[in-house]
Amino acid sequence: MDVIIPAPDQLKVLSHNQYNTPEHISPTSVSPSPFEQFRTWVTEVQGIVPEPEAMSISTATRTGIPSSRFVLLKQLDKRGFVFFTNYTSRKSKELLENPHAALAWYWKEVSRQVRVVGRVEKITKEESEEYFKSRPLGSRLGAWASEQSKVIAEGEVAGRLKDVEARFGVDGTRVDADIPLPEFWGGWRIVPEYVLIFRCAMHGTHLIVTARWNFGWGSLLAYTTVFAIYEYPSPQMTHQNGRLSDYHPKHTQEQKVNNRCKVLKIE
């Protein structure tokens, strides 16, 4: 990536990574189960991607104002994707107001992306306790000391951590202690409505290969698989006055979406 600063208040990125990945996904190589496909990809990138469990989670307020941040995926089963956080944090408050979220993973080293959109729910206290007990001692103490999304004074967290250590009888000589689960801390589960995987390939032709699973309402087992290969830019796109124009202003929203890409194959 080449960056220039033409003016003190500007920044321009001049180059873009050119994908040239020989591997590809196809209807025969993608698992019928999105959860199995995700597990396969995560397993394959172990040792290649530094932190493959790191994911962006986007939430929104009741009025639709979005916010995104990165968290760590901790659990996955047939019910959905689970992460843990403070229930008083901004993301938790937004999830209570608007119980939907979007997840995204970007694994640059292998030119792969995963997107998940779905509704959210709190996991049970028993599930949160089971995970909490598996965390290192420092992480358990930190959960008690940290008040997420709140303004603090310098040194306040360190002082609060010392208070927590004294409360639970922890000193520098102990490697473990019985630290209970805070009432304000636990897990959220994203129950997917759809899962979408991307594999960028063939930089010369700008192919983006995707597979999408659509989930039926009421059952995570009732999903259908849609496979498509999109080529950018599509023949419908034209350059007008130096800018890329892909649809006429009077086109319908569906036409706008269809014109943004050329669907080469759907099965």
Side-chain angles (χ1 to χ4, degrees):
M1 180 182 72
D2 295 324
V3 176
I4 64 171
I5 302 177
D9 61 344
Q10 296 181 0
L11 182 147
K12 290 185 178 180
V13 179
L14 300 180
S15 61
H16 177 68
N17 181 53
Q18 297 297 297
Y19 299 104
N20 189 14
T21 53
E23 299 179 56
H24 67 281
I25 56 177
S26 69
T28 58
S29 66
V30 172
S31 171
S33 165
F35 300 120
E36 182 60 36
Q37 184 63 46
F38 185 86
R39 282 191 290 267
T40 297
W41 272 20
V42 169
T43 301
E44 290 176 349
V45 302
Q46 293 292 317
I48 302 174
V49 178
E51 224 174 6
E53 71 274 27
M55 63 184 187
S56 167
I57 178 168
S58 298
T59 58
T61 64
R62 186 182 291 108
T63 57
I65 300 174
S67 60
S68 299
R69 77 288 289 161
F70 286 89
V71 297
L72 298 179
L73 173 70
K74 288 300 181 181
Q75 296 176 9
L76 169 65
D77 58 26
K78 63 182 180 181
R79 296 172 294 175
F81 302 79
V82 175
F83 75 97
F84 293 85
T85 188
N86 190 308
Y87 284 146
T88 65
S89 65
R90 174 177 174 175
K91 55 184 169 293
S92 289
K93 291 177 180 178
E94 291 182 354
L95 290 174
L96 289 172
E97 289 184 7
N98 186 350
H100 295 85
L103 307 176
W105 291 260
Y106 174 50
W107 299 323
K108 175 182 180 295
E109 293 80 1
V110 292
S111 303
R112 295 178 181 179
Q113 296 185 52
V114 180
R115 289 175 54 199
V116 175
V117 175
R119 61 181 176 84
V120 298
E121 62 185 22
K122 282 186 178 181
I123 67 174
T124 66
K125 182 178 180 180
E126 290 72 23
E127 290 174 301
S128 291
E129 284 181 331
E130 181 180 3
Y131 170 72
F132 188 77
K133 290 178 181 178
S134 72
R135 305 184 86 206
L137 176 60
S139 297
R140 283 175 280 154
L141 293 170
W144 278 96
S146 175
E147 296 184 13
Q148 293 185 16
S149 303
K150 292 185 178 180
V151 178
I152 60 173
E154 184 176 355
E156 183 177 343
V157 173
R160 193 180 298 138
L161 182 58
K162 290 182 179 180
D163 293 339
V164 170
E165 290 174 339
R167 174 180 177 181
F168 296 113
V170 176
D171 56 36
T173 63
R174 299 190 63 173
V175 296
D176 201 3
D178 184 16
I179 310 298
L181 172 73
E183 291 292 332
F184 51 83
W185 195 95
W188 286 100
R189 177 181 293 111
I190 292 82
V191 182
E193 294 172 0
Y194 78 77
V195 177
L196 184 64
I197 65 172
F198 291 82
R199 184 61 187 265
C200 301
M202 298 176 63
H203 67 273
T205 53
H206 305 289
L207 287 180
I208 297 180
V209 187
T210 72
R212 171 172 171 163
W213 290 264
N214 297 301
F215 290 78
W217 290 104
S219 173
L220 285 182
L221 300 180
Y223 53 78
T224 58
T225 303
V226 178
F227 187 89
I229 301 176
Y230 299 99
E231 181 183 23
Y232 293 84
S234 72
Q236 296 95 328
M237 293 182 179
T238 58
H239 287 275
Q240 297 179 356
N241 300 323
R243 300 183 66 181
L244 189 65
S245 173
D246 61 348
Y247 57 83
H248 190 277
K250 293 184 179 180
H251 283 188
T252 65
Q253 184 63 33
E254 182 178 356
Q255 288 173 315
K256 292 178 184 179
V257 173
N258 289 340
N259 284 351
R260 288 198 179 104
C261 59
K262 177 184 178 184
V263 180
L264 302 180
K265 186 175 184 181
I266 295 182
E267 295 187 0

